[in-house]
Amino acid sequence: MAAAVKDAFNSLADKLHPTHGENSAPPREPSAEELQSLKDRYQKAKQEQVFAFYDSLSSSEKAVLYDQLASIDPDHINGITDKALHPPAASKEDKEPTVEPLPESATASILDSKQDDLDKWYGSGLDLIADNKVAVVLMAGGQGTRLGSSAPKGCFNIGLPSGKSLFQLQAERIYKVQQLAKKKHGKEDVVVPWYVMTSGPTRGPTEKYFQDNKFFGLEKENVIIFEQGVLPCISNEGKILLESKSKVAVAPDGNGGIYQALVTSAVLSDMRKRDIQHIHAYCVDNCLVKVADPAFVGFAASKDVDIATKVVRKRSANEPVGLILTKNGKPDVVEYSEIDKETAEAKDPKQHDVLKFRAANIVNHYYSFRFLDSIPQWAHKLPHHVARKKIPYVDTDKGETIKPEKPNGIKLEQFVFDVFPMLELSKFACLEVRREDEFSPLKNAKGTGEDDPDTSKRDILQQGKRWVQATGALVVGEREESAGVEVSPLISYGGEGLDFLKGQTIKEPAVIEKEG
C-alpha cells in the first residue's frame, strides 16, 4: 500500500512540479503522432496557445519545448490555478477563526528555561549528532537580486573582516558541531549530511561555488545539492505564459516545494539509507543560524514531536512578522496583516510586560524523519498561494516579447508552514530563542538600515564581542557601528571553547580564527 501511495505521489509531483534529472538524455523531436497527442491535451485544457510558434522552431527547439510541455499536466495546472484564485467562500455558518498562543505544554524559552533543561537538551542533541542521526536541509533557492547580485544568496559576502560568505559560515558551523560531538564521544566518524535545496537559476552556480571552495572542509559526499520544483507562470486570464517562443515561463514553487523536492530528488531515500531520524531545516539568509543546533534537536526529540519551530520574541505590536500560534485548535502561522490591532496589542495575562501573541516565525524548523517519510500521503493536500507579478512573456498573437510595467500574471507557490495545521498539538512544539543570538536575516540592499549586509555584519561582530567578553577578555577600540569581534565558527559554535582569551586585551574590530 505504501509503495502504491508513493508511486501515485511521484506521478502527481512530476505533473505539478516538473523537474528534469541532471543526467537525463537530451530531448528529441517528437513524432507526428506524439505531437498531435500532446496538442490535443492542451487544446482540451484550453491552453493550446503554448504551441503558437512551434512550426517556426528549429528541430532542437521543438524537442526542448515538447519535452517541457510533456512534463506539465495542463488540467492539473488549470485546477490548482482555479483553486488558488477562487478559494471556497466562507459560509454564514462558519465561525470566525479562534486564535490563541500555543499552550505551555508545547513551548519553551531559552530566555527563562532552567539551566539544567538547557544542558540536558544540548547534551542529548549532541548525542544524536554523534550517533549520525541528524541531518540539515537548507532552503537556498533565492538569488541576491535585492542585494544587487545575480549569484545565489548564499554566496553573498556580508562584509565581515574574514570575507566569509553565508554558505561558508554555515558550512563551518556544521564542521564544528561534528567536532564537538566527536570530542564528547571519542568518535572518529561523525557526519551531519547537508542537503542544499536550490532552484533552477541557482543550482549550477551553487554547485560550482561549493566545488571551487572544496566544500569548505566538509566531505563532498555529505553535501547533497538538489533542486526544488517549478510551476508555469499564468496570465491574469488563466493562460500558461511563454518566456520565449520555445520555452514556457516557469517559477520556483515556493519554500513549501521542499516537501515534494525531498521525495522526487531522492533526498529522503538518502536519509533513509543513512538512518537519519532528526532534521533541521532553515533559510540561507540568516547569518546567525545555529545549524544542526544540538539544543534545538534535543528539545524536539525530548518531546517526541514531528515538527518543532524556533521563534523570536516580537519586538512590538506592529512589527510585520508572521506569528506561530493555534488557529481553531491547530498549530498554524498567521500573517501580521491577518491580525486586528486589538489582538496584536493584547498583553500576556501572566506576564503583563510582554505581548500575548509574540512568537515571531523565523522559518527555522525541526522535523522527525517519520513525518517527512509520510510526505506522499499528504503533500497533495497543501494549498497553492497566488503571487501577482510582472512576468515578461511572448505575445502569442504578435510574437513580440513584452516586459510589463504592472502585474500581468500570477506565480503559484506553496508555503513551508502550510503543513502545520495537519498536526495534532501533541506533535508540535515551539522554542523561543534570543533574537540577538539566532536571527539576523539578509533581505535588503546595503544602506537600507534594516535586514541588510550592514546589520548582518554588525550582529555577527556584536555576538562575537559578547562571547569574548564573557570569558573575561577586555575588548577595546573605537565605538563604531562596525566594531566588534568576529569569532570563526571553526573556533566556537556558540560561545564555548574561548577560555584561552581570558585576561587578554583585544582591539576591535578583530578576528579570532585560531587559539593563542
Side-chain angles (χ1 to χ4, degrees):
M1 176 65 181
V5 170
K6 186 171 181 179
D7 288 345
F9 166 78
N10 285 337
S11 174
L12 179 61
D14 287 343
K15 292 173 181 175
L16 291 180
H17 304 264
T19 56
H20 296 283
E22 53 191 305
N23 299 316
S24 57
R28 60 169 180 81
E29 187 176 349
S31 67
E33 292 78 12
E34 289 171 328
L35 177 61
Q36 190 57 52
S37 175
L38 189 63
K39 280 186 172 182
D40 288 345
R41 279 174 55 200
Y42 276 82
Q43 191 159 14
K44 184 182 174 185
K46 298 182 179 178
Q47 294 286 4
E48 66 275 10
Q49 75 286 346
V50 294
F51 290 97
F53 309 105
Y54 187 86
D55 292 339
S56 67
L57 302 177
S58 68
S59 180
S60 60
E61 288 173 329
K62 286 178 178 178
V64 169
L65 179 59
Y66 176 86
D67 191 56
Q68 187 185 25
L69 291 173
S71 72
I72 298 169
D73 185 324
D75 288 320
H76 274 296
I77 298 303
N78 285 347
I80 61 174
T81 301
D82 185 63
K83 208 170 181 180
L85 288 172
H86 308 102
S91 67
K92 292 180 180 179
E93 290 75 32
D94 289 341
K95 297 179 180 177
E96 279 290 313
T98 303
V99 296
E100 290 291 341
L102 288 167
E104 289 184 9
S105 60
T107 63
S109 175
I110 295 289
L111 283 66
D112 54 23
S113 289
K114 295 176 183 175
Q115 191 61 45
D116 285 350
D117 287 333
L118 298 177
D119 292 343
K120 181 177 67 177
W121 297 334
Y122 181 87
S124 63
L126 212 55
D127 293 345
L128 291 167
I129 290 170
D131 288 338
N132 295 328
K133 300 295 185 187
V134 178
V136 171
V137 175
L138 166 59
M139 290 173 272
Q143 295 170 283
T145 311
R146 285 194 207 168
L147 310 173
S149 168
S150 60
K153 192 181 278 190
C155 302
F156 197 80
N157 174 354
I158 59 175
L160 291 173
S162 67
K164 290 178 181 177
S165 66
L166 294 171
F167 277 144
Q168 183 168 356
L169 291 170
Q170 293 162 23
E172 290 183 355
R173 286 175 193 146
I174 291 175
Y175 185 91
K176 182 61 175 177
V177 85
Q178 290 176 162
Q179 297 302 312
L180 291 171
K182 284 181 183 180
K183 185 175 180 181
K184 180 181 179 184
H185 289 272
K187 284 191 169 185
E188 282 302 312
D189 297 318
V190 172
V191 174
V192 176
W194 196 15
Y195 301 95
V196 181
M197 186 176 80
T198 63
S199 61
T202 63
R203 181 171 187 162
T206 299
E207 289 176 331
K208 185 176 187 304
Y209 187 72
F210 274 86
Q211 290 162 2
D212 290 348
N213 288 280
K214 297 180 171 57
F215 295 86
F216 304 104
L218 300 174
E219 295 296 327
K220 178 181 178 180
E221 62 268 22
N222 298 321
V223 180
I224 298 91
I225 296 172
F226 66 108
E227 193 174 323
Q228 72 183 106
V230 295
L231 288 168
C233 299
I234 310 295
S235 74
N236 287 336
E237 293 72 42
K239 298 297 184 180
I240 295 173
L241 291 169
L242 290 176
E243 176 185 309
S244 69
K245 293 180 179 181
S246 60
K247 186 179 181 183
V248 172
V250 297
D253 52 7
N255 60 19
I258 187 174
Y259 301 116
Q260 283 96 341
L262 288 174
V263 178
T264 56
S265 66
V267 165
L268 219 54
S269 298
D270 189 71
M271 289 181 180
R272 191 178 296 108
K273 286 177 190 170
R274 295 173 185 259
D275 196 24
I276 297 296
Q277 299 299 320
H278 310 276
I279 296 95
H280 177 215
Y282 68 97
C283 288
V284 73
D285 61 5
N286 180 10
C287 68
L288 293 178
V289 63
K290 298 180 80 171
V291 190
D293 179 12
F296 186 39
V297 171
F299 162 75
S302 72
K303 287 187 165 291
D304 191 32
V305 294
D306 283 330
I307 296 180
T309 185
K310 282 188 178 184
V311 298
V312 295
R313 191 165 291 185
K314 196 176 176 185
R315 283 176 173 144
S316 63
N318 60 1
E319 184 182 8
V321 292
L323 294 174
I324 292 180
L325 38 65
T326 66
K327 187 175 178 180
N328 296 334
K330 296 281 190 177
D332 210 337
V333 173
V334 174
E335 294 300 334
Y336 169 71
S337 57
E338 299 176 58
I339 296 178
D340 61 57
K341 187 171 184 287
E342 184 181 355
T343 303
E345 294 178 349
K347 298 292 186 179
D348 188 324
K350 294 183 179 179
Q351 301 180 65
H352 300 297
D353 58 335
V354 297
L355 295 169
K356 179 181 179 180
F357 296 96
R358 58 182 179 274
N361 177 32
I362 60 173
V363 196
N364 193 322
H365 307 312
Y366 160 96
Y367 298 93
S368 70
F369 178 79
R370 69 184 174 220
F371 180 71
L372 293 183
D373 203 27
S374 71
I375 288 172
Q377 298 169 30
W378 49 259
H380 63 282
K381 300 177 184 177
L382 294 181
H384 288 82
H385 304 272
V386 170
R388 297 193 179 275
K389 300 284 186 178
K390 292 183 284 187
I391 305 169
Y393 70 101
V394 174
D395 185 319
T396 52
D397 292 325
K398 300 177 182 177
E400 300 172 355
T401 298
I402 309 294
K403 291 188 176 179
E405 296 180 358
K406 59 183 180 180
N408 63 310
I410 63 171
K411 295 180 179 181
L412 295 168
E413 56 187 9
Q414 294 179 307
F415 298 153
V416 71
F417 54 73
D418 281 332
V419 73
F420 291 2
M422 295 184 186
L423 293 181
E424 296 299 324
L425 267 174
S426 61
K427 288 299 179 184
F428 186 89
C430 180
L431 181 65
E432 182 185 53
V433 297
R434 289 185 179 88
R435 188 188 291 248
E436 64 268 26
D437 280 332
E438 300 206 33
F439 186 56
S440 179
L442 178 59
K443 304 284 188 188
N444 304 314
K446 186 176 175 67
T448 309
E450 185 176 354
D451 297 342
D452 68 3
D454 293 332
T455 59
S456 294
K457 174 185 174 182
R458 176 201 69 200
D459 291 343
I460 285 186
L461 294 179
Q462 290 302 308
Q463 180 187 62
K465 182 176 179 178
R466 291 193 299 274
W467 289 353
V468 167
Q469 288 175 324
T471 70
L474 178 65
V475 179
V476 299
E478 300 292 331
R479 296 291 179 218
E480 297 176 0
E481 190 71 17
S482 62
V485 181
E486 180 184 354
V487 178
S488 168
L490 298 176
I491 294 296
S492 182
Y493 177 85
E496 83 295 327
L498 297 173
D499 292 339
F500 66 92
L501 295 171
K502 186 175 182 180
Q504 291 191 30
T505 298
I506 297 169
K507 186 174 181 181
E508 57 183 337
V511 184
I512 310 297
E513 292 185 294
K514 58 185 179 180
E515 294 190 26

